[in-house]
Amino acid sequence: MAGTAERRELSPRSQQQMQERTPPPRAAPPPSPPRSPPRSPQLRVVLTPLPAPQRRLRQKRLLGACGGGAAEGAAQKRPRSEPSCGPEPADGGGDDDDEDERTEEEADGDARLSAYERKRLKNIAENARFFAALELHESAARLHGMAAKGRPHVARRVKPRRAEGGAVQRRSMRLQRMQPPELPQAEAPAQEEEDYPQVPAGPLPMAAGAQEESGGAESALLGTWLRLSEMENSNAEKRMWDMERYHAALSRMQLHHDGVRKVLSSRVCSVAIHPAESTVLVAAGDKDGHVGLWDVSCGTEGGVHVFTPHNLSVNCMHFSPSHPAQLLSLSHDSLRCGDVSTAVFDEICRSEGNLSSFDFLEDSACTVLVGFWDGTVAVVDRRSPRASPELSADIGFQRTRTVDVHPLSRQYFVAAGSVDVRVFDVRWLRRRGSEAVSALRGHSRSVASAYFSPTSGHRVVTVCADDRLRVYDTSSLSASAALVSSIRHNNNTGRWLTRFRAVWDPKQEQCFVVGSMARPRQIEVFRDSGVLLHALSSAECLGSVCSISALHPTRNVLVGGNSSGRLHVFME
């Protein structure tokens, strides 16, 4: 056949194999000048390349074409230079449904596409019709307009500028101690110094002042104190009770309405009981420097007198063991001795804001061991005319909260610090300082108190802020005292309650008493083995926490003080 080439079409499978062997077609080269036909007839085969199976049509254009149709997008996607095996779509606009149908028919009839591609194009066309019927774009535009129209205008708060050193710290005028600019500053009252007078240094008279009792009642109370102190003490010797008898006595102790009295105006920090047996005379000190005396036999009618020998809280007080007419009280600023026979509060030692506790080094109470908050201890001789320590030594504590002298070997004392409890020898303080005789280890937080057992000194009980009561064996005073028992006890009193102090009972040195946070409110009695022996409570008369306790040396009398200045006396 001259001037004409025979055209041979391959099967679809042969075309696909040929497509896999040959690279994808590139752009058509520019047209070359026509050549003259060959002289002899030749067979020429024209292969039409098919699109790769991995090639996908752009779905975004199909979904977004709401006015056109899937056929238009498919037509735009197909290169114009490709020859088409099927009929070309007609140009010009038309209905969307007609174009979709034509697209489906075209996809079904296109021999170049596989069954999978034809099914895919059909699904794309159906999805396009479905989303066009939903009118999502129109609905989104209407909602956006409604939201923009109803949105209120909110003025943004201007943020303060950050300081170069860090975040901006805002403080109110109250924290800055400033008055508002529109209000004038209040003038300090002229009588403020008269309302809160400062206690001067030196001896102070036991004056009546502005007290609860009248002059006659005050004289009667001081006369009772003097009379009790001058009585014979032959039958007031310490005697130990057996455990069965002691437990029975605790069960008989009761608290009645006449055994509750508000003696002080603020929180009780220390309590002491006069050793006389005929009458119960109680002394208490509060955080404002007041010392109150209460004759319990008078009940709720009279029998109370309050003195002001200190400026700060009264942390410790004891009746003199050799002269019960003397009451020694220690505050942060001074140690004083109130002698009812001379009606004078004499000053023994003064240190502004640094005193913490004291104890007697002798039965005659002439020499006193004083603890300081800065971690030192001092020995003060009351017979010396000067009010200064005879000996002062640093024992290596950050704080010295309590000091207690051994009942038999008076040269030894136990000191409780921040986290340390140790036994020292007074004779070594001048030379060795902080070298201890024995250490009571195991405390992880601050220790509130540590006291020897009253008769033999073979035990030491401590109260720690880690909610533990610990009892140690100090019979041999070895380098490290053995732990006898560790008792779980809630000692979290907080800032409004005085910290608990566990004190031994002089009548039974195997037992000690301590306040409790449990409900109903109670005062607990423990054995040194850790067993709770008894709990003193009263549903009608005791409704508060008694942090500080004291026991009578010979009678079944226990006194507890709370944070409102009220005393509770349990008696048999």
Side-chain angles (χ1 to χ4, degrees), residues 93-349:
D95 193 7
D96 295 342
D97 296 338
D98 296 340
E99 293 183 0
D100 293 339
E101 292 176 359
R102 287 197 300 269
T103 303
E104 294 177 5
E105 295 175 357
E106 182 179 317
D108 293 338
D110 195 348
R112 297 175 304 169
L113 300 180
S114 64
Y116 169 77
E117 289 292 337
R118 291 194 297 272
K119 182 64 175 177
R120 177 175 169 274
L121 289 177
K122 183 177 180 181
N123 293 339
I124 290 175
E126 293 178 357
N127 292 337
R129 288 197 301 271
F130 173 74
F131 283 107
L134 292 178
E135 298 182 356
L136 295 179
H137 298 283
E138 291 79 358
S139 301
R142 289 195 301 270
L143 292 177
H144 181 72
M146 295 171 59
K149 185 183 299 184
R151 185 180 303 167
H153 177 71
V154 180
R156 294 186 176 181
R157 180 175 60 88
V158 179
K159 296 183 179 180
R161 295 182 178 179
R162 289 182 175 269
E164 296 181 358
V168 177
Q169 294 184 358
R170 296 179 296 175
R171 300 179 62 189
S172 64
M173 300 185 68
R174 178 181 63 83
L175 295 178
Q176 298 179 12
R177 301 182 181 277
M178 298 173 57
Q179 295 289 341
E182 65 274 9
L183 297 178
Q185 293 188 359
E187 298 181 357
Q191 67 275 11
E192 184 177 0
E193 296 183 358
E194 299 180 1
D195 294 342
Y196 300 96
Q198 294 294 315
V199 177
L204 297 175
M206 289 186 178
Q211 308 292 347
E212 295 183 11
E213 300 287 350
S214 60
E218 175 196 352
S219 300
L221 178 61
L222 297 180
T224 301
W225 181 9
L226 181 61
R227 176 177 54 83
L228 294 175
S229 303
E230 293 176 351
M231 294 177 59
E232 294 292 336
N233 294 328
S234 58
N235 58 345
E237 298 179 357
K238 293 182 180 179
R239 52 182 181 269
M240 299 301 297
W241 290 8
D242 58 87
M243 188 59 63
E244 184 177 356
R245 180 186 175 189
Y246 179 73
H247 187 267
L250 290 176
S251 304
R252 294 193 299 267
M253 294 174 63
Q254 300 294 330
L255 175 64
H256 303 286
H257 290 283
D258 55 356
V260 180
R261 183 70 182 274
K262 186 174 178 61
V263 177
L264 300 169
S265 59
S266 58
R267 183 175 60 187
V268 177
C269 298
S270 56
V271 177
I273 302 179
H274 195 278
E277 290 189 349
S278 58
T279 303
V280 179
L281 181 65
V282 181
D286 66 358
K287 70 179 186 66
D288 294 331
H290 301 135
V291 174
L293 289 175
W294 177 30
D295 185 1
V296 182
S297 61
C298 297
T300 58
E301 300 295 333
V304 173
H305 187 69
V306 181
F307 304 95
T308 311
H310 302 283
N311 291 317
L312 302 173
S313 61
V314 183
N315 299 321
C316 184
M317 61 169 44
H318 297 289
F319 283 97
S320 174
S322 59
H323 304 283
Q326 298 177 354
L327 175 65
L328 279 75
S329 58
L330 180 139
S331 179
H332 290 293
D333 57 352
S334 62
L335 172 63
R336 292 184 178 272
C337 176
D339 193 342
V340 69
S341 60
T342 59
V344 173
F345 281 102
D346 194 10
E347 188 174 82
I348 300 175
C349 181

Side-chain angles (χ1 to χ4, degrees), residues 319-396:
F319 283 97
S320 174
S322 59
H323 304 283
Q326 298 177 354
L327 175 65
L328 279 75
S329 58
L330 180 139
S331 179
H332 290 293
D333 57 352
S334 62
L335 172 63
R336 292 184 178 272
C337 176
D339 193 342
V340 69
S341 60
T342 59
V344 173
F345 281 102
D346 194 10
E347 188 174 82
I348 300 175
C349 181
R350 171 167 286 272
S351 177
E352 295 297 334
N354 200 21
L355 302 180
S356 61
S357 60
F358 79 96
D359 197 9
F360 303 109
L361 282 172
E362 301 173 352
D363 291 333
S364 60
C366 296
T367 309
V368 181
L369 179 69
V370 182
F372 292 78
W373 285 111
D374 60 359
T376 62
V377 295
V379 178
V380 179
D381 193 347
R382 297 174 56 192
R383 297 165 294 188
S384 177
R386 57 178 183 175
S388 60
E390 299 292 332
L391 171 64
S392 180
D394 185 4
I395 60 176

Side-chain angles (χ1 to χ4, degrees), residues 238 321 358-363 367 369 402-415 422-427 437-438 440 450-461 472-478 481 504 509:
K238 293 182 180 179
F358 79 96
D359 197 9
F360 303 109
L361 282 172
E362 301 173 352
D363 291 333
T367 309
L369 179 69
T402 61
V403 292
D404 187 57
V405 179
H406 197 282
L408 299 180
S409 302
R410 291 288 185 171
Q411 69 273 17
Y412 298 119
F413 70 93
V414 60
R422 300 177 187 174
V423 179
F424 296 90
D425 193 335
V426 179
R427 301 169 297 180
V437 177
S438 180
L440 285 65
Y451 296 111
F452 280 111
S453 55
T455 304
S456 64
H458 291 173
R459 296 287 188 270
V460 170
V461 60
Y472 292 87
D473 183 9
T474 55
S475 57
S476 61
L477 288 180
S478 57
W504 297 94
E509 72 166 10

